[in-house]
Amino acid sequence: MTRIGPDEAFPILTEAQIEALRSYGSEEEFADGAILFEEGDKVFDFFVVLEGAIDILQHADETPVRITRHMPGEFTGDTDMLSTRAAVIYAQAVGKTRVIRITPDKLQRVVVENSELSDLILRTFLIRRTALSASKLSPVKVIGSRFSQDTFRIKEFLSKNGQPYMWLDIDADEGVYLILEKFGVKPDETPIILYRNRDVFKNPANEAIATGLGFNVLDEEVNDVLVIGAGPAGLAASVYAASEGLKVTTIDSEGPGGQAGTSSKIENYLGFPTGISGRELAERAYMQAQKFGANIATPREAKALACRYPLYEVEVSGDRKIITRSIVIATGAKYRKLPLENLTEYEGRGIYYGATAMEAQLCSQQDVIVVGGGNSAGQAAVFLSKHARQVHILIRSKDLSHSMSRYLIRRIEETPNIELHCHTEITELIGEEGKLKQVACRNRQTGESWIFDIPNLFVFIGADPNTKWLDNAIALDEKGFVKTGRDLTEEELQDWPLEREPTLFETSRPRIYAVGDVRSKSTKRVASAVGEGSIVVQFIHRALAE
Ligand SMILES: Cc1cc2nc3c(=O)[nH]c(=O)nc-3n(C[C@H](O)[C@H](O)[C@H](O)COP(=O)(O)OP(=O)(O)OC[C@H]3O[C@@H](n4cnc5c(N)ncnc54)[C@H](O)[C@@H]3O)c2cc1C
């Protein structure tokens, strides 16, 4: 039998493990052909096969594709089981089938209470999701042009949120027109999402995609902690707070991962000697937070903060308000943009702010330019050199020694298809029909000007804090980063209502904390963001007990 995924994706439970699971569920029987759950279900159960079999199928093609057949001793499920996300597969009984059925809330208890089963189930879910993503099979098809900003937006949003999808490029594959014709879609109505080979959504907004696929569900209850931002700092705070029994909601305006999620390889994060991609780190942390019961909703952007200690209210996109007893601001920083006139026209159509597999695919075997002299630019250049023909790094300074880590400088020097251009700035972007074609440059020392015939520009020139939405409701430093703890002045604490002073990471408002890149004077690194996100939880516990 062919199966999508390695053997480890289909472990067989021991008798003892089956007995342990039995106490969380109930035994049931299904007739041949019965559907156990459907693609698109946002709540679906976990099944252990006792007798018979369960086919796992997907509407990825005209006829359903079988992903696997679970035999006795095997179990169903993947990462979506721990969240409110829509199932990307469906399950059907083969012959008379007897199972143990466990609801998602009970499965949550299994993974928290039984470490042996938790390890096995979560590892299996992760392996299955990785294999499914690699197979490119999905009930979600994105059909659109590689030169369309909306195609880029949809693909980026799905990737950031770990949603498997298939991309059919209308510029590369004539056969795609036949699919469009079949569903009555004109080429100029693309991009579309074709869901389950049945439902067509024309150029859907990210919010609509999220609602359809169950990414942005919020409940009405009062939270112990609202974490704003699901980068490394926010995800760490979510994992620690949820694992310690606090009721946690985490929101992000885009999707989990933050800046780290745009990194192709993080090499200096403890415990990953060969490096880990930012996306993988985010996916693992996302699942870990879900495992402990944190609710992560995306895209949900914090818009405004109403300060009414001891209960705070945060207004979020989608016209919702979240009530919470404490807040962790982990909104990080947003990449800077080049001060060039027609920049926005080419964003996603030649200009990129992240270098992940998705962007690499778009400029495979072409020349690319990377602007910036920091570590993020260096990482991007090294990563892109494996996919692109030639990589040009442009920096305005005389060399990289003051801005980039030594190991990356060495790697750049050793990579034959990377060329460094010092004292160089971009003067103009030249395009055609909204696509970037050329990049005009100037040497700031000699005044010499030239044009690169290169349609791919990666921009890594630093970042500014995401704090505008706070509208000065809490104290910020002169650059807009959030001030915390001992850095707060008497004047900034004029309205402080408590006798005690603000603790570490606490802002000028009690029980509102800031961690990671958004915090004034923080070290802008993944490890420190994760560290701060983890440490802050003990202060929240103490403050909530006051
Ligand atoms: C390309 C690149 C490579 C890097 N490589 C490394 C590396 O190798 N090693 C290393 O240590 N560091 C690296 N860094 C730095 C590291 O990624 C950051 O220090 C880290 O991501 C900071 O984490 P954070 O959670 O504080 O903030 P961020 O990662 O910035 O996350 C903030 C999150 O908040 C969300 N958000 C913003 N505003 C709102 C709002 N109003 N409402 C809701 N959500 C909001 C954003 O969408 C984002 O997801 C790299 C950075 C980049 C850009």
Side-chain angles (χ1 to χ4, degrees):
M1 176 179 60
T2 52
R3 294 179 132 179
I4 292 175
D7 289 349
E8 304 87 75
F10 311 104
I12 296 176
L13 296 163
T14 62
E15 278 305 318
Q17 288 168 333
I18 292 176
E19 279 319 300
L21 283 167
R22 198 184 287 279
S23 60
Y24 291 90
S26 56
E27 219 176 283
E28 273 185 41
E29 227 173 71
F30 290 94
D32 181 36
I35 300 291
L36 280 61
F37 59 83
E38 265 293 1
E39 245 166 8
D41 282 357
K42 289 176 188 146
V43 180
F44 54 103
D45 295 337
F46 173 89
F47 297 93
V48 178
V49 185
L50 299 175
E51 223 180 280
I54 298 174
D55 269 353
I56 298 298
L57 302 140
Q58 197 176 62
H59 286 105
D61 229 322
E62 301 258 310
T63 51
V65 176
R66 189 169 73 190
I67 309 289
T68 189
R69 172 167 291 177
H70 290 303
M71 302 306 289
E74 295 185 14
F75 57 86
T76 61
D78 86 339
T79 48
D80 289 337
M81 281 224 66
L82 298 170
S83 66
T84 51
R85 288 169 166 242
V88 293
I89 43 166
Y90 68 101
Q92 188 168 30
V94 184
K96 193 172 106 186
T97 299
R98 204 159 52 84
V99 298
I100 297 172
R101 179 183 201 138
I102 299 176
T103 55
D105 53 325
K106 294 274 172 56
L107 185 70
Q108 191 100 38
R109 275 186 46 206
V110 175
V111 293
V112 171
E113 290 171 6
N114 185 321
S115 69
E116 181 192 326
L117 281 169
S118 168
D119 286 353
L120 179 72
I121 292 169
L122 296 185
R123 194 175 57 239
T124 305
F125 282 3
L126 264 178
I127 296 170
R128 285 181 187 169
R129 177 45 64 97
T130 308
L132 198 60
S133 297
S135 76
K136 304 271 184 239
L137 287 172
S138 171
V140 179
K141 282 196 184 97
V142 179
I143 305 184
S145 159
R146 63 173 55 216
F147 301 115
S148 149
Q149 279 178 323
D150 280 317
T151 306
F152 185 81
R153 169 184 59 79
I154 293 171
K155 287 175 61 197
E156 188 183 41
F157 181 67
L158 293 172
S159 302
K160 257 196 179 149
N161 283 282
Q163 171 68 39
Y165 66 90
M166 295 159 85
W167 172 40
L168 304 179
D169 182 0
I170 61 171
D171 292 309
D173 185 353
E174 294 271 304
V176 178
Y177 287 92
L178 294 176
I179 302 179
L180 291 179
E181 210 175 293
K182 180 174 163 200
F183 289 94
V185 178
K186 298 192 195 86
D188 63 5
E189 291 176 312
T190 59
I192 60 159
I193 286 188
L194 176 60
Y195 187 50
R196 302 179 67 193
N197 259 318
R198 196 183 66 189
D199 307 320
V200 172
F201 300 92
K202 290 179 188 165
N203 197 11
N206 290 354
E207 287 72 17
I209 300 173
T211 305
L213 296 174
F215 299 170
N216 59 2
V217 179
L218 290 173
D219 62 31
E220 302 284 339
E221 284 172 47
V222 174
N223 292 278
D224 293 322
V225 191
L226 170 64
V227 179
I228 306 178
L235 286 170
S238 311
V239 167
Y240 278 82
S243 70
E244 291 173 23
L246 297 173
K247 161 130 180 67
V248 184
T249 292
T250 303
I251 57 168
D252 197 289
S253 48
E254 297 175 4
Q259 296 167 75
T262 64
S263 168
S264 50
K265 204 173 201 187
I266 297 166
E267 297 201 54
N268 53 2
Y269 188 54
L270 191 73
F272 294 90
T274 54
I276 179 163
S277 81
R279 188 103 312 279
E280 193 182 344
L281 191 65
E283 269 167 23
R284 285 169 173 262
Y286 175 79
M287 182 159 152
Q288 206 169 0
Q290 305 268 8
K291 155 181 155 175
F292 291 116
N295 174 30
I296 303 181
T298 64
R300 292 281 186 191
E301 183 178 1
K303 297 275 195 191
L305 171 68
C307 294
R308 282 184 220 107
Y309 177 80
L311 275 191
Y312 291 104
E313 193 177 273
V314 176
E315 201 182 295
V316 301
S317 56
D319 216 10
R320 291 290 298 267
K321 288 194 166 73
I322 301 178
I323 317 253
T324 182
R325 300 167 69 207
S326 71
I327 296 176
V328 175
I329 299 173
T331 47
K334 181 110 190 133
Y335 42 73
R336 282 195 199 122
K337 301 200 171 188
L338 288 164
L340 293 168
E341 216 176 83
N342 43 1
L343 182 87
T344 47
E345 197 183 329
Y346 306 124
E347 283 175 330
R349 310 172 84 187
I351 295 185
Y352 308 105
Y353 298 95
T356 64
M358 193 185 99
E359 288 86 5
Q361 182 195 22
L362 290 174
C363 52
S364 163
Q365 289 316 309
Q366 299 174 22
D367 291 357
V368 305
I369 294 174
V370 173
V371 198
N375 279 354
S376 48
Q379 269 179 18
V382 172
F383 170 69
L384 290 167
S385 69
K386 299 188 185 98
H387 303 269
R389 199 166 42 202
Q390 178 74 30
V391 179
H392 299 269
I393 302 179
L394 312 188
I395 56 168
R396 303 202 315 166
S397 55
K398 70 174 184 0
D399 60 32
L400 295 169
S401 60
H402 295 292
S403 53
M404 198 180 283
S405 298
R406 190 62 229 152
Y407 83 94
L408 275 170
I409 299 180
R410 214 173 25 245
R411 232 171 259 172
I412 286 169
E413 286 165 353
E414 285 165 0
T415 309
N417 63 339
I418 301 183
E419 190 179 343
L420 178 66
H421 303 261
C422 304
H423 302 294
T424 301
E425 67 184 6
I426 296 179
T427 51
E428 199 188 341
L429 303 169
I430 305 157
E432 228 177 76
E433 294 170 11
K435 296 170 209 161
L436 181 70
K437 293 274 176 203
Q438 294 173 313
V439 177
C441 300
R442 188 177 76 92
N443 183 306
R444 286 150 58 89
Q445 241 186 1
T446 63
E448 183 201 352
S449 298
W450 71 96
I451 289 178
F452 280 113
D453 246 336
I454 296 180
N456 306 297
L457 177 63
F458 289 80
V459 185
F460 295 95
I461 54 171
D464 294 313
N466 281 321
T467 49
K468 284 213 177 68
W469 67 276
L470 284 164
D471 196 23
N472 291 318
I474 52 174
L476 306 178
D477 70 11
E478 66 287 354
K479 289 187 176 151
F481 290 90
V482 182
K483 287 182 80 172
T484 55
R486 292 258 164 100
D487 287 338
L488 290 157
T489 62
E490 255 178 51
E491 203 188 331
E492 287 161 343
L493 291 173
Q494 259 176 17
D495 297 331
W496 180 261
L498 306 178
E499 279 194 11
R500 68 164 175 84
E501 291 181 350
T503 59
L504 192 67
F505 307 143
E506 199 166 22
T507 68
S508 56
R509 304 274 176 182
R511 292 195 197 156
I512 302 186
Y513 303 82
V515 291
D517 278 19
V518 77
R519 193 177 66 76
S520 178
K521 297 190 182 163
S522 65
T523 309
K524 311 299 188 244
R525 288 279 182 274
V526 175
S528 35
V530 169
E532 292 186 9
S534 327
I535 295 167
V536 75
V537 175
Q538 61 168 299
F539 296 107
I540 295 175
H541 269 301
R542 271 187 233 158
L544 290 179
E546 275 169 0

